[in-house]
Amino acid sequence: MSTAGATADPLAALGALPGVADSVESVRKSVDRVYGHRIMRRRSNAITSEAALRGARGSAALAGADWALEEVRRRTDFSGDDEARTVGAALRLTAEAGQLLSVWRQSPLRVLARLHLVAAADKADQVGRPRQEGEPVDEPLVGLPLPSAAEAHGRLEGLAELIIAGGTAPALVTAAVVHGELLALRPFTSHNGLIARTAERIVLIGSGLDPKSVCPAEVGHAELGREAYLEALDGYVSGTREGMAAWIAHCGRAVGLGARESTAVCEALQRGAA
């Protein structure tokens, strides 16, 4: 986040990057379309539940477990192979996200530690805390150079301070920075991608942009594809104005696609009720 350090409100400064305002406006219109749908007024809980399932499936797909939605829906045991455990972790994280909203603004590091504990689902020494120097990181799909543990800790503290301080940045910008920073740092020994996407979800819900959690960005990230995801992440890590703006725009497209997915769910429910 090297371009962000020169102002009192660095996240708001990112909102002024070229093209970001257009992304923010496009996301707002997409979200408004979902919330304005007549089905949302009657069956919002059903839409939220379906969005959670589809979001978890999308996040797991980006982590290497690209299962069909119906397979995720019908499966009850996720303790088998690595892919099953990844899907199970994604589902647990999505369920946990809504329980942590009140804690996020006061103690984001506590929330992130909790998310790692939930994702890992074991009691190993490395679980529920940032990695220490020399500990390996199991994140094979993100090939970026790994920052040292000391750098990761410092930047994680800085990110937490920005979240606690609040500011005027649009929700999309804050969510994209949280997501990008966690992927760049990989502060835990495992499950960093799943945690980063869950943290993005928490910001979008807690900011009021998507309070019912019906616009799963994870769906959009998966639809845009892993190659585009990693290419946009390279832009974020570069720290350039163009790279940061491209990452925020990518996240904006993902939220828009998530909103489109839930709009289609609303339409399907409406046809079924007709």
Side-chain angles (χ1 to χ4, degrees):
M1 215 166 43
S2 59
T3 63
T7 68
D9 191 351
L11 296 180
L14 292 177
L17 291 175
V20 170
D22 291 341
S23 295
V24 169
E25 180 62 20
S26 176
V27 164
R28 170 54 67 187
K29 289 179 179 177
S30 296
V31 173
D32 285 349
R33 278 194 289 274
V34 180
Y35 279 83
H37 199 285
R38 60 184 295 186
I39 290 293
M40 274 294 294
R41 293 192 291 272
R42 292 183 293 162
R43 301 190 62 181
S44 64
N45 288 342
I47 307 302
T48 295
S49 296
E50 187 64 18
L53 184 73
R54 294 180 183 223
R57 193 219 73 83
S59 191
L62 285 169
D66 192 0
W67 287 14
L69 179 64
E70 291 310 313
E71 175 67 8
V72 179
R73 195 189 304 279
R74 75 164 189 83
R75 184 74 76 94
T76 57
D77 181 9
F78 297 96
S79 62
D81 58 17
D82 287 346
E83 285 197 5
R85 286 190 288 272
T86 295
V87 174
L91 288 166
R92 291 192 301 274
L93 286 172
T94 301
E96 189 76 8
Q99 312 302 313
L100 298 171
L101 295 173
S102 62
V103 184
W104 174 255
R105 287 297 296 271
Q106 286 74 43
S107 185
L109 296 184
R110 180 179 159 197
V111 169
L112 293 173
R114 172 63 185 169
L115 291 177
H116 189 236
L117 188 67
V118 168
D122 63 39
K123 297 181 179 179
D125 290 344
Q126 302 94 336
V127 170
R129 61 158 175 79
R131 58 185 167 88
Q132 299 174 2
E133 212 64 63
E135 289 182 335
V137 174
D138 181 14
E139 204 74 44
L141 300 177
V142 178
L144 295 167
L146 185 69
S148 68
E151 180 183 351
H153 290 192
R155 286 172 59 177
L156 204 58
E157 290 281 357
L159 180 64
E161 289 172 5
L162 287 176
I163 294 166
I164 293 168
T168 61
L172 172 64
V173 172
T174 303
V177 168
V178 167
H179 184 170
E181 195 72 353
L182 291 174
L183 278 177
L185 296 178
R186 282 148 288 162
F188 301 101
T189 56
S190 64
H191 300 91
N192 290 286
L194 294 176
I195 291 168
R197 292 183 286 276
T198 304
E200 179 184 49
R201 171 185 284 266
I202 289 172
V203 173
L204 294 172
I205 300 169
S207 67
L209 176 64
D210 182 21
K212 294 183 183 295
S213 192
V214 294
C215 301
E218 306 96 321
V219 167
H221 286 303
E223 185 172 334
L224 290 166
R226 191 181 303 150
E227 184 177 346
Y229 184 66
L230 295 177
E231 181 179 345
L233 178 61
D234 282 343
Y236 176 85
V237 172
S238 76
T240 65
R241 289 167 57 85
E242 295 79 9
M244 298 287 280
W247 170 251
I248 294 168
H250 184 87
C251 291
R253 287 191 291 274
V255 177
L257 288 169
R260 188 183 70 178
E261 183 93 350
S262 286
T263 300
V265 172
C266 287
E267 294 291 337
L269 288 174
Q270 182 168 276
R271 288 192 297 272

